Amino acid sequence: MSRDLPRQAPKLRTQILKVVSSDLGEFKENVGREKMREWEVSQMPSAKPLREAADYLKARDIPVAFPTETVYGLGADATRSAAVKGIYSAKGRPSDNPLIIHVADLDMLRHFLQPATEQNGTPNGIHDQIPEIYKPLIERFWPGPLTILMPNPTPSKLAPEVTAGQKTFGVRMPASPLARSLIKLVGAPLAAPSANASTKPSPTTAAHVLEDLDGRIELILDGGPCQVGVESTVVDGICDPPVVLRPGGVSIEELRECPGWESVEKAYKDHSEAGKAAPRAPGMKYKHYSPKARVVLYEATYPRLHEGIDQQTLELKNSGNVVGVIRTRCWQIGGGLFCRNFKEHERLVESSEPKNQVDIDLEVGDADLYKTRDGPTVGKVLDISIGKDTRSIAQGLFAALRELDRRGADVIFVEGTPDGEDIGAAVMNRLRKAASQIKM
Ligand code: TXA
Ligand code: MG
């Protein structure tokens, strides 16, 4: 069931504010002091736009979009109900799902582990309520793309809308200094889901946020493209054995290397497990991470993956469809279809320098004529390679889906990647949700 955005919402003027990401602050480093305990925002002019954004977040109930290392978030003061409700109205989705909170430092986390009724002692003076099970994870993966579930004290300092009735809250300390400085200046954690319109691929640039939320929020902080490109891994270590609730920027293998997490289990469902070779009926689309175009996903195990798209799938002979191809590890250019005009592109791609990891400047190849085994066909193929390495695949995935949409693709064929390799499970989890058909 698709939910339309409320029509009566007044149209706001949306502004993108560029923030230079250097010299925004640092963790205080006194001798004997715990790492990550206190983030200090710099007095440099580069932090000025963040001060303005923080003042806005404290005064208003409209969220602000900001970059994290995973995806852009749509942030609001997690202690104020009206502000948190503003996230849901901007995204156009009902408030049925708990939101994660983002903290600037460990002092802020500890403060929110204390019930609202208790006096705020100095962090040294309060009993450390961070569960032991999480300490190796915090040590290794924070600040970074890992969200952990913590017991929510009663009464809680968090707005009830954040936890949506759960007894726990999800929290992470983002790796982005920009994000940590913004949070610190607000003086409270920011609740933030991804800053996309409900059902769309998550945004990894400020331009993506604008595409989806223009007129619905007033401020987008632009800190450049996100480095990880998929959301954080969500884990619950309070249950036994600990579980992964959502695969993300930290792989299950990395978690298993930490004491207490050797036998962490997967507690999320993936559509590949719905039954072998059970391509879902076209049209039965999971409304998640989806571009407008129909997505057909080829699992990494697809028998002819090295050659690319199978000819039956390509029922486009009479239609003049625009076909998007997203390649990862094995496919030839254009998904193995014979495409004229690609030769020049191929030469360019081959000769180019290795991509800067943070630069999502996608090169889109373009061909007008291609042929199937049965002969020539008219149509248009748009080809994007997002790299062979799992990290670069994750980084470019959402941007590639959006770019092909923007260029009018009717269908997008995507080359899958193995779940077991690094953060491949996160990539495939998102792709399986976006796909209306999966080829195994
Ligand atoms: O990378 C990310 O995590 C991004 C960036 C902006 O930080 N944020 C994000 O937030 O994806 P959100 O709220 O869209 O996703 C949080 C996930 C959801 O799958 C939610 O169900 C789960 O975490 N979650 C949050 N709190 C929970 C809780 N108390 N119990 C169970 N699951 C929870
Ligand atoms: Mg999201």
Side-chain angles (χ1 to χ4, degrees):
M1 191 177 70
S2 80
R3 285 170 218 263
D4 289 330
L5 299 177
R7 297 225 167 78
Q8 69 278 21
K11 189 149 164 67
L12 304 170
R13 222 188 105 249
T14 309
Q15 184 199 357
I16 296 186
L17 205 59
K18 273 208 187 298
V19 182
V20 182
S21 294
S22 54
D23 294 325
L24 290 174
E26 58 189 1
F27 284 112
K28 280 195 184 168
E29 268 192 35
N30 300 343
V31 184
R33 202 176 224 281
E34 179 190 38
K35 213 176 84 189
M36 301 184 279
R37 192 180 127 184
E38 192 180 355
W39 178 255
E40 193 172 35
V41 182
S42 101
Q43 296 300 321
M44 301 288 279
S46 51
K48 190 165 171 274
L50 298 183
R51 292 180 197 282
E52 289 166 19
D55 289 343
Y56 180 94
L57 281 163
K58 286 190 271 189
R60 305 286 302 272
D61 299 333
I62 300 171
V64 169
F66 67 100
T68 79
E69 76 283 17
T70 58
V71 300
Y72 273 69
L74 190 59
D77 179 343
T79 64
R80 294 196 298 114
S81 287
V84 177
K85 285 181 186 157
I87 295 175
Y88 292 107
S89 43
K91 276 189 72 126
R93 77 164 207 202
S95 51
D96 51 357
N97 213 3
L99 297 172
I100 65 170
I101 63 163
H102 299 70
V103 292
D105 49 34
L106 292 178
D107 276 359
M108 190 179 272
L109 170 60
R110 291 195 174 103
H111 179 73
F112 284 85
L113 288 171
Q114 295 279 100
T117 42
E118 264 171 51
Q119 282 293 318
N120 302 323
T122 59
N124 272 341
I126 59 176
H127 176 64
D128 186 5
Q129 294 184 355
I130 298 177
E132 286 301 318
I133 183 83
Y134 289 127
K135 289 190 175 163
L137 300 193
I138 289 174
E139 176 80 20
R140 173 150 175 202
F141 303 112
W142 278 12
L146 181 73
T147 297
I148 59 185
L149 294 197
M150 290 285 188
N152 194 26
T154 19
S156 174
K157 292 168 183 160
L158 296 172
E161 289 75 12
V162 171
T163 45
Q166 304 288 315
K167 289 192 162 60
T168 51
F169 65 85
V171 58
R172 78 181 191 97
M173 186 194 295
S176 156
L178 191 163
R180 289 200 304 277
S181 294
L182 178 68
I183 297 160
K184 186 77 181 191
L185 290 165
V186 171
L190 290 180
S194 48
N196 51 298
S198 188
T199 80
K200 292 286 170 217
S202 300
T204 51
T205 67
H208 295 164
V209 179
L210 187 67
E211 255 166 43
D212 283 12
L213 300 181
D214 191 12
R216 307 191 62 85
I217 56 174
E218 292 188 301
L219 191 54
I220 301 169
L221 297 172
D222 182 356
C226 303
Q227 301 197 27
V228 178
V230 291
E231 298 85 345
S232 60
T233 301
V234 181
V235 296
D236 184 350
I238 304 172
C239 60
D240 188 30
V243 290
V244 175
L245 296 174
R246 177 178 74 180
V250 170
S251 72
I252 197 158
E253 288 70 29
E254 287 174 300
L255 291 170
R256 290 200 170 121
E257 288 165 12
C258 298
W261 291 82
E262 295 83 355
S263 54
V264 57
E265 283 177 11
K266 202 171 115 175
Y268 58 89
K269 285 207 190 70
D270 225 326
H271 298 302
S272 67
E273 288 145 18
K276 185 130 180 75
R280 276 182 271 133
M284 186 189 144
K285 191 169 191 166
Y286 284 77
K287 292 301 250 173
H288 270 300
Y289 308 110
S290 300
K292 285 191 236 84
R294 192 165 71 86
V295 174
V296 180
L297 170 64
Y298 286 72
E299 290 279 340
T301 48
Y302 186 76
R304 296 168 62 216
L305 190 59
H306 58 288
E307 285 171 47
I309 299 162
D310 61 307
Q311 304 299 342
Q312 286 138 294
T313 305
L314 207 64
E315 294 153 352
L316 303 157
K317 286 191 193 153
N318 34 23
S319 59
N321 267 297
V322 178
V323 177
V325 173
I326 299 179
R327 291 180 292 125
T328 60
R329 299 148 48 90
C330 309
W331 279 5
Q332 299 166 33
I333 197 157
L337 300 165
F338 175 78
C339 301
R340 286 205 201 139
N341 311 349
F342 269 144
K343 282 290 159 220
E344 179 63 5
H345 174 63
E346 199 161 9
R347 195 187 55 73
L348 281 173
V349 170
E350 299 288 300
S351 67
S352 64
E353 294 292 309
K355 253 195 318 188
N356 169 357
Q357 284 296 298
V358 188
D359 179 16
I360 316 182
D361 201 8
L362 297 168
E363 195 162 0
V364 184
D366 191 332
D368 292 326
L369 274 174
Y370 57 96
K371 81 175 183 197
T372 67
R373 256 200 236 108
D374 313 333
T377 306
V378 180
K380 189 174 170 70
V381 178
L382 299 170
D383 173 277
I384 298 183
S385 166
I386 52 175
K388 293 180 192 298
D389 167 75
T390 311
R391 294 271 157 176
S392 95
I393 295 168
Q395 196 203 21
L397 176 69
F398 289 139
L401 290 171
R402 281 177 177 270
E403 183 61 22
L404 291 172
D405 242 3
R406 215 176 56 77
R407 294 183 185 233
D410 297 297
V411 56
I412 301 174
F413 297 108
V414 189
E415 178 191 353
T417 190
D419 287 77
E421 263 171 49
D422 195 9
I423 56 169
V427 171
M428 292 307 287
N429 174 265
R430 308 307 189 266
L431 279 173
R432 288 171 190 138
K433 287 183 179 173
S436 48
Q437 195 180 4
I438 299 177
K439 297 260 182 180
M440 308 198 196

